[in-house]
């Protein structure tokens, strides 16, 4: 990509209509703030960029991955009233509440990610970013971890149906379990997830030994990391595994989940990255030079998510992160009582003993990945 990439930003102000509830950690205002910060930096006005209004997915489109009974039940509770056989579907819990428009919200997110997929699969964009997407925990017939419709799994299923080879890389702090299990037995979709170990974090899976089955053996890759993992350790583990495996797999399309909850200030998890470590991964995805569908994901420090995703959007457009904080964005943050920092954090290495423990864990896990996964891809251990 020597000429500037053609990029598409998938968004609608309608995201703000939906609310998981006052005590829920997932706050949709982060999407509007991301849009506001990107726009305030002038990064939606580039000659090679288009903004596409999100449209809802039809139920039939979501059937590419999901169970019909599950989707119909979700649609029945769209009014916000609990009812029917919800427990078996993981619905109506504290994590996955039935709020007004829960189906409309889920269909809108899936539709946005399908638009990103369409633009990239047809070559109309080199990169498309669906910031509301990346809801990677939902299962075929079960809501989980704030996710009702698994938009990454839906779009990958569509791409695989078209005969394409898809690589999915998930850098959210939580294991991308829903996507992993969706493609566990196929070699058409490679899934790679780097995350805080399931020993200390939801959903409690994502161990190296979950490597795929049958034809899929070696095509499910997990890199668990210990609490206090910082930029240096994350960057090392990422570079050891992701670029070589991606290069060997040679996907037609790259799908990435860019959860921003690895950040050291995130209240739900224990990794210790800054936006520098996050940006390293995004730069590596861009350097792949493949058609690229980028999705959002977790991120519960509302002040940080817009910074991380604005940084990502700049990199997708082949630009260096713009310095400073635009005044219009400061004003958007003020009524919410949010900090408005520049995009790149100062380096924040983890302190001595904690870092040694995290290093030892990462080295051990990476060695296991190399032993268990690399031979399936013709790579030396
Ligand atoms: Zn997460």
């Amino acid at each position: 990509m020597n000429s500037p990439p053609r990029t598409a930003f998938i968004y609608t102000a309608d995201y703000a209509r939906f609310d998981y509830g006052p005590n829920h950690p997932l706050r949709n205002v982060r999407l509007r703030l991301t849009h506001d910060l990107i726009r305030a930096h002038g990064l939606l006005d580039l000659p090679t960029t288009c903004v596409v209004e999100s449209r809802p997915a039809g139920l039939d489109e979501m059937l590419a991955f999901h169970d019909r009974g599950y989707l119909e039940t979700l649609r029945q509770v769209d009014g916000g009233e609990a009812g029917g056989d919800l427990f078996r579907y993981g619905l109506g819990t504290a994590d996955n509440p039935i709020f007004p428009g829960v189906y409309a919200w889920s269909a809108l997110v899936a539709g946005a990610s399908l638009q990103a997929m369409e633009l990239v699969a047809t070559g109309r964009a080199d990169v498309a970013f669906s910031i509301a997407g990346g809801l990677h925990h939902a299962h075929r017939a079960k809501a989980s971890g704030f996710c009702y419709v698994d938009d990454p799994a839906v779009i990958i299923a569509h791409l695989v149906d078209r005969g394409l080879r898809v690589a999915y890389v998930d850098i959210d702090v939580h294991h991308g379990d829903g996507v992993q299990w969706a493609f566990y037995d196929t070699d058409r979709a490679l899934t790679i997830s780097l995350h805080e170990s399931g020993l200390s974090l939801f959903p409690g899976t994502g161990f190296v030994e979950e490597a795929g089955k049958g034809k899929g053996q070696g095509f499910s890759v997990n890199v668990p990391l210990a609490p206090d993992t910082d930029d240096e350790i994350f960057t090392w583990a990422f570079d050891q595994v992701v670029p070589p495996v991606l290069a060997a797999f040679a996907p037609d399309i790259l799908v990435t989940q860019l959860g921003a909850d690895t950040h050291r200030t995130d209240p739900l998890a224990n990794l210790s990255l800054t936006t520098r470590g996050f940006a390293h991964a995004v730069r590596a995805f861009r350097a792949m030079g493949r058609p690229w569908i980028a999705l959002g994901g977790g991120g519960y420090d509302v002040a940080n998510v817009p910074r991380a995703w604005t940084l990502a959007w700049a990199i997708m457009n082949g630009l260096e992160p713009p310095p400073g904080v635009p005044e219009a964005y400061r004003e958007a943050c003020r009524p919410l009582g949010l900090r408005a920092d520049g995009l790149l954090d100062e380096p924040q290495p983890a302190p001595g003993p904690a870092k040694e423990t995290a290093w030892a864990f990462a080295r051990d896990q990476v060695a296991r990945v190399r032993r268990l996964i690399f031979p399936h891809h013709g790579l030396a251990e």
Side-chain angles (χ1 to χ4, degrees), residues 17-226:
R17 284 175 37 215
F18 304 101
D19 187 350
Y20 279 67
N23 299 316
H24 198 283
L26 185 60
R27 294 183 53 203
N28 277 355
V29 69
R30 69 203 187 116
L31 302 172
R32 171 173 68 81
L33 290 170
T34 299
H35 170 266
D36 289 355
L37 182 55
I38 289 176
R39 191 178 55 183
H41 275 296
L43 296 174
L44 293 181
D45 307 321
L46 307 168
T48 46
T49 284
C50 64
V51 180
V52 176
E53 175 84 8
S54 312
R55 55 101 178 155
L59 189 141
D60 287 355
E61 291 178 295
M62 298 187 279
L63 283 176
F65 170 59
H66 285 286
D67 172 77
R68 180 181 288 279
Y70 169 66
L71 291 176
E72 286 176 350
T73 300
L74 189 62
R75 188 163 61 181
Q76 280 161 18
V77 298
D78 193 50
E81 301 278 323
D85 190 7
L86 298 182
F87 184 72
R88 61 186 282 228
Y89 291 129
L91 295 167
T93 63
D95 274 7
N96 315 309
I98 302 300
F99 58 84
V102 62
Y103 177 84
W105 156 252
S106 302
L108 190 56
V109 173
S113 297
L114 282 162
Q115 285 169 292
M117 179 201 86
E118 245 358 287
L119 288 163
V120 172
T122 56
R124 281 176 286 156
D126 300 310
V127 189
F129 191 9
S130 169
I131 58 170
L135 303 184
H136 59 171
H137 293 307
H139 292 54
R140 186 168 172 272
K142 194 162 193 177
S144 174
F146 320 159
C147 308
Y148 304 85
V149 168
D150 194 320
D151 60 288
V154 168
I155 66 172
I156 295 168
H158 279 270
L159 292 166
V160 168
D161 281 350
R162 294 181 190 188
L164 296 168
R165 286 162 62 79
V166 185
Y168 171 78
V169 188
D170 184 322
I171 59 167
D172 191 280
V173 78
H174 301 94
H175 175 227
D177 58 337
V179 188
Q180 167 178 297
W181 302 126
F183 304 100
Y184 204 58
D185 58 2
T186 176
D187 58 1
R188 305 293 302 175
L190 167 75
T191 64
I192 305 178
S193 179
L194 292 91
H195 46 262
E196 179 177 338
S197 167
L199 296 173
S200 51
L201 195 67
F202 179 90
T205 51
F207 298 98
V208 176
E209 291 69 25
E210 295 161 26
K213 68 174 187 205
K215 279 173 76 178
Q217 201 141 102
F219 293 84
S220 168
V221 185
N222 285 293
V223 187
L225 298 163

